[in-house]
Amino acid sequence: MSIAIPSSLVQNGTGIPGVCTRHGEPVVLHRAVKFISKPPGWSYLLIIIGFLPFIIVTSLLRKEVQATAWPFCAKCVETHKNRMIVGWVLMAALPLSVAIGWNMGEAGVTVIFIALLPFIIGFALANRGSYRLLPWGFTSQDGSTVGFPKAHPGFVDAAQAAYAHAAQQYAAWQAAQQQQQSPYQAPYSQ
Ligand SMILES: [Zn+2]
């Protein structure tokens, strides 16, 4: 299931559910997570000009939303650990292949080249296992919401409940403000 949470409610914490995003299970760990927007589709055309223009433009356009305490369950923590371990082991193939291939001449180059693939897979795996990417949430292009395209139904329900609660509180706060600011009240009442 997918759900989008208003960025302001992610930042102030009122829209963050009490269950994790992937499994909808009880929270055992809170972590600060920064959600960023994906580069817009057209920006990939800039890679033709060069990687640097692509990096510059996408970092200028990038919208960030910081959550101070994002929920993770025991399964999330387990997934994080496993991906980190396997990721780092695969990444270790590269320095290992350099050490082995260093004195092997041309064959050594092949050894190092072959180790590049597990290194890239390991890097991607460790990256996906990071607490930043585990919730699989992305800020919208205009920065107004954070979307979770692969959220657990339990998370979606809890997020909707948190949103309704936050909206209710906001309405109550707004009503109180309006009452205070009303020109027909306080100043002339005594
Ligand atoms: Zn989880």
Side-chain angles (χ1 to χ4, degrees), residues 46-175:
L46 291 170
I47 295 178
I48 298 168
I49 308 170
F51 207 63
L52 197 63
F54 172 74
I55 300 267
I56 292 168
V57 169
T58 51
S59 64
L60 282 175
L61 291 173
R62 189 164 62 207
K63 298 284 191 298
E64 297 183 347
V65 174
Q66 175 80 44
T68 47
W70 196 259
F72 294 96
C73 78
K75 279 186 196 166
C76 289
V77 175
E78 195 63 29
T79 307
H80 166 76
K81 277 184 194 161
N82 290 342
R83 287 189 182 175
M84 283 296 155
I85 293 167
V86 178
W88 279 99
V89 166
L90 288 174
M91 279 196 282
L94 193 61
L96 206 68
S97 72
V98 172
I100 294 169
W102 195 251
N103 291 317
M104 287 171 63
E106 261 181 54
V109 176
T110 313
V111 168
I112 294 167
F113 192 74
I114 289 168
L116 269 176
L117 187 65
F119 177 82
I120 292 166
I121 294 169
F123 181 80
L125 201 64
N127 197 30
R128 280 201 165 205
S130 68
Y131 284 117
R132 187 175 70 79
L133 282 184
L134 267 184
W136 209 243
F138 303 94
T139 303
S140 61
Q141 299 296 349
D142 65 355
S144 64
T145 59
V146 182
F148 299 88
K150 287 184 189 171
H152 188 274
F155 176 86
V156 173
D157 286 348
Q160 276 163 350
Y163 176 78
H165 185 71
Q168 218 171 37
Q169 276 188 328
Y170 179 72
W173 174 82
Q174 217 175 23

